[in-house]
Amino acid sequence: MRAYVIAFPEKKWENYTVPVADEPVIKLTERRLLMSKKIDEVITVVRRDRLRVYSLHVSNPLPVSARGKMEALMKALPEAPFFLAEGNMPLIMPFLVNYMTGLFYENEPEALIPVWRDGTAEVTHAVYEPDALADAIEAALAEGYRSLGRVVEFLDYEPLPIEELAKRNPKVTLSFFRVRNSFDVRFAEETLEKMRSQI
């Protein structure tokens, strides 16, 4: 399965090249995905005008011109099911990606999306069937929505309860961590260092 990483800043704090342990967070995100046995290639969706920057850090940048993440993803959709992540997630757990892709192929839903107890869906840590996601994005855009998080309202997706998985393996929750500020950088660096020392 391919993984698609969305590195398409919409807000000022979204910086996918911020250094974490001396490497851009986008590069760490790509590497974590490639550690999964089920992911054989990672494609990174980037702004066309930022292609040169990202081509220094990722193996397969895909430049698109769009106003936001939802439109960018629509233009970059593959033909086969894919795993979607955001470019600031350096603690993605390969075992969780393996589990999710296996479950997706077993049940074949329109999407398999992890969900927190409060109902928050992790739309950028999910597996999608591209035609269903395209329809959901079109419907969300037609309703005037611009946030990628709204696609869940238009998908018949299978929810994956995060807290239930975390009871079996607490590291599950780290997979959804995003680097947004200097405190997050420090936490990511410390956590990666702990992971390396446990190997």
Side-chain angles (χ1 to χ4, degrees):
M1 180 180 277
R2 279 181 170 178
Y4 273 62
V5 175
I6 190 96
F8 215 86
E10 290 177 333
K11 301 176 180 78
K12 283 184 178 179
W13 58 263
E14 291 177 322
N15 180 356
Y16 301 107
T17 57
V18 66
V20 173
D22 299 322
E23 290 194 82
V25 67
I26 186 77
K27 190 172 187 176
L28 292 170
T29 303
E30 180 186 63
R31 189 178 302 142
R32 297 289 299 173
L33 284 163
L34 287 170
M35 288 169 72
S36 165
K37 291 178 182 134
K38 301 280 176 82
I39 301 297
D40 47 31
E41 187 179 25
V42 177
I43 309 291
T44 304
V45 182
V46 302
R47 287 188 182 277
R48 188 170 294 281
D49 60 355
R50 302 281 288 156
L51 175 60
R52 186 173 292 185
V53 171
Y54 284 100
S55 62
L56 298 171
H57 307 305
V58 297
S59 49
N60 295 304
L62 176 60
V64 294
S65 297
R67 287 175 290 187
K69 287 185 178 79
M70 195 151 42
E71 198 178 296
L73 190 55
M74 184 71 167
K75 290 183 176 185
L77 283 176
E79 292 180 5
F82 66 102
F83 188 92
L84 177 67
E86 194 168 358
N88 58 354
M89 303 175 81
L91 304 180
I92 283 179
M93 294 292 154
F95 72 84
L96 183 56
V97 176
N98 288 336
Y99 175 72
M100 288 177 63
T101 52
L103 201 56
F104 177 86
Y105 282 125
E106 192 177 302
N107 300 340
E108 297 186 337
E110 289 187 356
L112 177 68
I113 304 175
V115 179
W116 296 95
R117 193 174 286 121
D118 67 2
T120 304
E122 291 284 354
V123 294
T124 54
H125 191 299
V127 187
Y128 293 96
E129 194 286 311
D131 290 340
L133 182 57
D135 292 345
I137 290 173
E138 281 178 6
L141 289 170
E143 292 288 328
Y145 298 133
R146 292 285 170 257
S147 168
L148 191 55
R150 301 303 290 262
V151 296
V152 294
E153 297 170 35
F154 305 96
L155 276 170
D156 182 19
Y157 70 95
E158 181 179 336
L160 190 64
I162 296 169
E163 283 88 354
E164 290 301 309
L165 292 176
K167 283 178 187 172
R168 286 182 266 162
N169 188 337
K171 285 184 180 174
V172 161
T173 58
L174 291 172
S175 208
F176 307 103
F177 177 78
R178 288 171 180 78
V179 171
R180 294 181 168 128
N181 55 46
S182 58
F183 296 108
D184 294 341
V185 168
R186 195 175 312 131
F187 177 80
E189 288 174 340
E190 290 170 0
T191 305
L192 286 167
E193 186 56 42
K194 281 180 196 165
M195 286 181 192
R196 285 189 197 108
S197 66
Q198 289 169 2
I199 293 173

